[in-house]
């Protein structure tokens, strides 16, 4: 026996809870359900529990457009973000629509019925079946069940403990211990200063450097505005200020990469002093924003290094030893605990298998439509945030556009919306223009974008505001109805 809703949202993280809020606000009366594989809402912010877990974007842009972030710290810790999501769901009555322990495994589209049949595996191993008119995938981009964990020679000989940040053991005692954190991304630069407060010493071992930028944990301008303006007005001004500053900086990295690179590295040198080997440890081989920049609040990483509580080593791993890690150049780093902050495994849309009229859908052969739908696949949308700005900026716009689509279809009495490429050819390009390892490892498993709009990603919030909030919903979109007999049967 299946249960029918008009809209199904998959995932109860930032994107899913935000989508539900917009749906209630802009499409009142529509039935919906949120299926969440885990036991709690929060997504990323419920899964990751490693020391120091925090945002790498300011909360005035990572927060929802409709719910002001009012805490003093704009670079927020994980528990605060999780509480923000939970409060949003509770205050909006969204929590009553969530089905926990429901992992979506399969979705089948029926053209005749103009609906999806969705199968979800419950915690007890049984399968729940739902049908819906629209499927909105808010399940993120990475695999919740496994992180990227390359095999290192000799790791079984290591006498200490090896942990991955995605599955942090709550009983891990690192006080007074020597810790090596393998990696140089956002997780590593968060873990190192946090663990250094209790550990004997923490070494960040990286194969190659990443751009690391320090920003104040508190936004002084935002806090000043909140004292003088209503919270919603203050939040809106701060949000746009941060959006525009981010867009300006990103443009600088694209138009003047060498000057930007010199400035970013110079800022690190100012923090660590003229005697520190910035050229080896903090000078990447790529240009800024070819990969995501790493944010450190209030210079905490640099302070830990300057105090001698943490250090950075750059080199390749030859093998693990009983007492630590041997590098290819013969150096050995001793360790009691090794943390493999080696990245994520991409699983777009939670690894769900899709079918259309009994035939498997190969999304790698589809093009993204406005960064939220797929060519020739009806009544499905997904969220993938910006690579150069906050995730929620895009998630909010996608939810608003979805509501516009649903209202248009209802007004016109139509039940299917399918992006179509049409007669003019579109050249396919990679999913995103990004060189980060987790993206590059998964390119052959991801849908592509096109070389022209609406198939090309903007990666620009202002352009997406114009396209998704005010642009035509008829742009390369085919609206239709199933056959008359199927309509009567429905």
């Amino acid at each position: 026996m299946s249960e029918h809703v008009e809209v199904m949202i998959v995932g109860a993280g930032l994107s899913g809870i935000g989508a539900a809020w917009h749906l209630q606000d802009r499409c009142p009366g529509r039935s919906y359900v949120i299926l969440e594989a885990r036991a709690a809402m929060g997504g990323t912010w419920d899964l990751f529990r490693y020391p120091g877990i925090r945002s790498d974007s300011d909360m005035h842009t990572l927060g929802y457009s409709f719910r002001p972030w009012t805490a003093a710290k704009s670079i927020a810790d994980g528990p605060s973000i999780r509480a923000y999501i939970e409060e949003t769901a509770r205050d909006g009555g969204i929590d009553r629509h969530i089905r926990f322990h429901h992992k979506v495994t399969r979705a089948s589209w029926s053209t005749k019925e103009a609906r999806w049949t969705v199968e979800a595996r419950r915690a007890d191993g049984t399968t729940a079946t739902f049908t819906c008119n629209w499927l909105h995938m808010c399940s993120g981009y990475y695999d919740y069940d496994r992180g990227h964990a390359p095999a290192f020679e000799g790791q079984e000989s290591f006498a200490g403990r090896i942990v991955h940040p995605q599955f942090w053991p709550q009983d891990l005692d690192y006080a007074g211990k020597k810790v090596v954190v393998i990696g140089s991304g956002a997780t590593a630069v968060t873990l190192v200063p946090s663990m250094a407060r209790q550990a004997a010493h923490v070494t960040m071992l990286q194969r190659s450097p990443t751009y690391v930028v320090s920003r104040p944990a508190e936004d002084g301008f935002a806090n000043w505005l909140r004292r003088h303006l209503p919270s919603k007005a203050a939040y809106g001004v701060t949000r746009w200020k941060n959006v525009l500053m981010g867009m300006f900086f990103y443009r600088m990295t694209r138009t003047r990469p060498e000057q930007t690179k010199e400035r970013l590295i110079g800022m690190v040198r100012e923090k660590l002093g003229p005697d520190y080997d910035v050229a080896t440890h903090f000078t990447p081989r790529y240009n800024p924003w070819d990969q995501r920049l790493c944010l450190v609040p209030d210079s905490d990483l640099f302070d830990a290094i300057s105090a001698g509580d943490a250090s950075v080593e750059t080199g390749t791993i030859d093998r693990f030893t009983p007492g630590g890690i041997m590098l290819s150049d013969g150096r050995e780093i001793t360790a009691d605990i090794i943390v493999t902050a080696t990245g994520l495994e991409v699983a777009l849309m939670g690894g769900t298998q899709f079918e259309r009229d009994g035939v498997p859908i190969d999304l790698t052969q589809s093009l993204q439509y406005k960064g939220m739908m797929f060519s020739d696949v009806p009544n499905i949308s997904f969220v993938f945030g910006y690579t150069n700005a906050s995730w929620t900026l895009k998630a909010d716009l996608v939810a608003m556009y979805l509501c516009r689509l649903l209202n248009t279809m209802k007004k016109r009495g139509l039940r299917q919306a399918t992006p179509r490429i049409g007669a003019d050819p579109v050249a396919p390009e990679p999913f995103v223009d990004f060189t980060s390892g987790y993206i590059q490892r998964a390119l052959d498993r991801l849908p592509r974008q096109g070389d022209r709009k609406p198939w090309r990603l903007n990666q620009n919030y202002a352009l997406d505001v114009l396209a998704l909030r005010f642009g035509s919903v008829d742009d390369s979109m085919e609206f239709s109805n199933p056959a008359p007999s199927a309509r009567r049967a429905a």
Side-chain angles (χ1 to χ4, degrees), residues 24-332:
Q24 291 183 166
D25 182 59
R26 297 166 184 266
C27 303
R30 286 186 187 266
S31 60
Y32 76 92
V33 68
I34 303 175
L35 299 188
E36 168 56 50
R38 295 170 53 77
M41 70 182 82
T44 293
W45 305 106
D46 180 67
L47 173 67
F48 285 95
R49 301 295 182 102
Y50 59 80
I53 174 69
R54 56 167 172 78
S55 64
D56 65 350
S57 300
D58 71 276
M59 288 303 299
H60 299 97
T61 55
L62 188 64
Y64 298 120
S65 59
F66 54 84
R67 188 181 183 90
W69 176 260
T70 58
K73 281 192 174 182
S74 63
I75 307 301
D77 59 81
S80 297
I81 300 172
R82 190 168 65 250
Y84 173 79
I85 297 169
E86 292 170 349
E87 290 163 6
T88 302
R90 183 179 62 249
D91 293 349
I94 296 166
D95 52 352
R96 297 192 296 270
H97 295 261
I98 303 173
R99 309 286 178 85
F100 294 110
H101 294 300
H102 279 67
K103 179 175 176 56
V104 173
T105 58
R106 182 178 174 184
S108 304
W109 172 258
S110 167
T111 300
K112 289 184 177 181
E113 296 179 349
R115 62 174 53 176
W116 289 96
T117 298
V118 178
E119 295 179 5
R121 187 176 65 248
R122 299 188 185 99
D124 62 4
T126 60
T127 298
T129 304
F130 301 81
T131 58
C132 62
N133 303 111
W134 194 281
L135 183 58
H136 187 46
M137 302 297 295
C138 299
S139 47
Y141 64 96
Y142 64 88
D143 192 330
Y144 275 47
D145 297 325
R146 65 188 183 102
H148 180 60
F152 296 102
E153 183 181 345
Q155 66 185 53
E156 69 284 347
S157 71
F158 178 60
R161 195 166 179 180
I162 302 173
V163 299
H164 193 288
Q166 191 166 325
F167 310 102
W168 194 266
Q170 295 305 304
D171 65 343
L172 183 66
D173 180 12
Y174 54 88
K177 304 288 182 63
K178 292 182 179 179
V179 181
V180 174
V181 177
I182 302 173
S184 60
T187 302
V189 302
T190 300
L191 274 167
V192 170
S194 180
M195 297 186 76
R197 298 187 188 107
Q198 296 182 39
H201 188 82
V202 181
T203 302
M204 186 170 86
L205 174 57
Q206 58 182 11
R207 185 172 52 190
S208 59
T210 300
Y211 289 103
V212 182
V213 180
S214 175
R215 280 182 56 183
E218 295 189 11
D219 187 324
F221 177 73
N223 293 341
W224 180 86
L225 273 182
R226 262 201 318 277
R227 292 193 297 268
H228 295 84
L229 292 175
S231 62
K232 192 169 185 178
Y235 181 68
V237 172
T238 304
R239 187 178 177 87
W240 269 107
K241 182 263 293 183
N242 291 354
V243 165
L244 294 174
M245 286 181 62
M247 289 170 55
F248 173 77
F249 177 70
Y250 180 74
R251 181 166 177 78
M252 286 289 291
T253 67
R254 301 289 90 178
T255 58
R256 299 181 180 180
E258 288 303 317
Q259 294 95 318
T260 306
K261 182 176 183 176
E262 184 178 339
R263 177 57 182 147
L264 291 175
I265 296 169
M267 290 166 65
V268 176
R269 192 172 285 112
E270 290 170 9
K271 297 291 183 182
L272 295 177
D275 296 330
Y276 190 85
D277 191 358
V278 172
T280 297
H281 302 309
F282 287 97
T283 303
R285 296 191 290 262
Y286 55 88
N287 286 329
W289 276 124
D290 285 351
Q291 299 180 22
R292 196 172 177 94
L293 273 63
C294 286
L295 170 68
V296 296
D298 293 334
S299 302
D300 61 359
L301 174 65
F302 304 130
D303 290 346
I305 294 171
S306 298
D309 299 326
S311 59
V312 179
E313 296 291 344
T314 303
T316 56
I317 295 173
D318 179 65
R319 66 186 185 277
F320 282 26
T321 67
I325 296 176
M326 182 69 70
L327 302 184
S328 299
D329 61 10
R331 290 178 292 154
E332 184 172 9

